[in-house]
Amino acid sequence: MTHLRISQAATFVGVSDDTVRRWIEQGTLTGHKDSAGYAVVDGAELAAYARDNAVSPQDPAGVNSSARNRLVGLVTAVTSDPVMSQVELQCGPHRIVSLMSTEAVRDLGLEPGAVATAVVKSTAVIVETEGRK
C-alpha cells in the first residue's frame, strides 16, 4: 500500500499542506503516522478523492466521442512555419503540446487565449514509477 506524506499529497491535488491537514481533521481523508513518525495519507484514498473531486472546464465542443481523454484548456503559444505548427495548451496543471498543419491552426482559429480541447486517443501511453522492481 502506498502512503504519501502530507506535502506530497498536497502537491498531487494542487492545494497547500494545511488544506490536506484540514481534510484529515474533518475526516475527508484518513491520516496516520508512518514508521518514521511522519503524517501520511493512503495513496489509493487520495487518488479516489482526486478523481471524485476533479473539476474541468466544460468541453465547448459539445460532441459525443469515443475518446475519454479530453483536456479543455487555453492556447498559450502557437509557433508556425508555412507547413507545420506547434500549439501549446495549458489544461489545468498540464501543458499539452500538439504538432499539426499550419492550415489546421488557421481553420481552427488557434491563437494565444483561445479555448481549445486536446483529445488524446492512443494505445501508446507510457506509465512510469519510481525506480522500483
Side-chain angles (χ1 to χ4, degrees):
M1 182 181 317
T2 300
H3 291 98
L4 301 170
R5 291 185 180 176
I6 299 296
S7 61
Q8 291 173 304
T11 298
F12 282 115
V13 292
V15 299
S16 70
D17 297 9
D18 288 339
T19 297
V20 174
R21 287 186 189 94
R22 275 193 298 280
W23 289 344
I24 292 170
E25 290 170 8
Q26 296 166 349
T28 303
L29 292 174
T30 307
H32 44 280
K33 301 283 184 186
D34 67 7
S35 58
Y38 290 102
V40 296
V41 296
D42 176 64
E45 183 181 2
L46 182 67
Y49 179 83
R51 180 194 61 234
D52 295 343
N53 292 281
V55 177
S56 296
Q58 183 175 347
D59 190 337
V63 299
N64 292 324
S65 174
S66 64
R68 297 295 178 242
N69 301 312
R70 301 177 62 83
L71 305 163
V72 179
L74 291 173
V75 175
T76 58
V78 178
T79 306
S80 299
D81 69 22
V83 177
M84 293 299 294
S85 292
Q86 176 178 302
V87 178
E88 296 183 32
L89 290 91
Q90 193 66 40
C91 303
H94 305 288
R95 176 179 169 252
I96 306 294
V97 179
S98 177
L99 300 176
M100 65 184 75
S101 71
T102 298
E103 178 184 11
V105 168
R106 283 192 304 269
D107 290 349
L108 294 170
L110 298 175
E111 60 184 22
V115 175
T117 303
V119 179
V120 181
K121 183 147 180 143
S122 176
T123 57
V125 175
I126 297 168
V127 177
E128 300 176 334
T129 64
E130 293 180 13
R132 296 182 183 144
K133 289 187 177 186

